[in-house]
Amino acid sequence: MKHDACDDEEAYRLAFEPPDIDTYMRLRREAGMNPRSTAGAERGLPGSLFAVQIVHEGESGNETVGMGRVVGDGGCFYQVVDIAVQPAHQGRGLGKRIMGEIRAYILREAPENAFVSLLADGEAHRLYAQFGFEPTAPHAIGMAWYPDRAGHRSVEG
């Protein structure tokens, strides 16, 4: 199998800051994740406890191709969010690199007995299990609510 330039591990570097809004919206869209509003991204991204991006340094310039963030109160609760890798760069261990950096941050910063959570879509639970995450059932059931201004939007929205 022929490998192209983006298979070269040296073509990737880590950036420890939240992505800009356009990059954030693009990566979520390209990774098939539900969209978030620009207003939400403007408020939320600066409030990240930790963020990591994977930047591909290619012939046509640098492009952020992966990201992950940790949000929460910085003491009792941490939530891993926005784990995304551009499809053209998937299968190269980039999701593992993102999760490895997030795990290192949490081990370094989180107090004993902090609650660290995430929601796994599709087969992503296989990646997260490699980092010690396990289903919370039967102890807890993950739930979500996506409010609109009228306060009655369903979870499916």
Side-chain angles (χ1 to χ4, degrees):
M1 177 180 194
K2 184 181 178 206
H3 296 287
D4 61 19
C6 56
D7 283 324
D8 181 6
E9 196 170 307
E10 294 179 13
Y12 297 99
R13 69 174 170 82
L14 300 176
F16 295 97
E17 61 185 8
D20 62 46
I21 293 167
D22 291 338
T23 299
Y24 174 78
M25 303 295 260
R26 174 183 57 80
L27 276 176
R28 286 190 62 88
R29 183 179 60 254
E30 291 172 350
M33 299 168 75
N34 290 331
R36 297 289 175 240
S37 70
T38 300
E42 287 172 350
R43 286 185 193 179
L45 291 173
S48 303
L49 295 175
F50 177 80
V52 60
Q53 298 176 65
I54 295 188
V55 179
H56 179 249
E57 298 176 335
E59 293 178 13
S60 59
N62 298 341
E63 178 183 25
T64 299
V65 299
M67 68 177 176
R69 298 189 310 130
V70 178
V71 298
D73 64 13
C76 295
F77 298 95
Y78 296 77
Q79 186 171 29
V80 177
V81 298
D82 295 328
I83 306 299
V85 176
Q86 196 178 56
H89 295 268
Q90 291 177 358
R92 295 176 171 88
L94 301 178
K96 286 183 183 180
R97 286 179 74 180
I98 292 167
M99 285 302 298
E101 295 297 333
I102 287 173
R103 183 177 189 278
Y105 165 78
I106 290 169
L107 287 173
R108 184 175 63 245
E109 299 294 331
E112 186 176 344
N113 289 329
F115 183 75
V116 182
S117 64
L118 58 75
L119 295 173
D121 291 333
E123 294 299 308
H125 67 92
R126 297 181 192 285
L127 168 65
Y128 305 137
Q130 295 175 41
F131 292 88
F133 287 88
E134 55 189 52
T136 58
H139 306 291
I141 297 171
M143 301 176 75
W145 175 48
Y146 298 94
D148 66 8
R149 292 193 188 272
H152 56 73
R153 191 168 139 200
S154 73
V155 171
E156 299 171 25

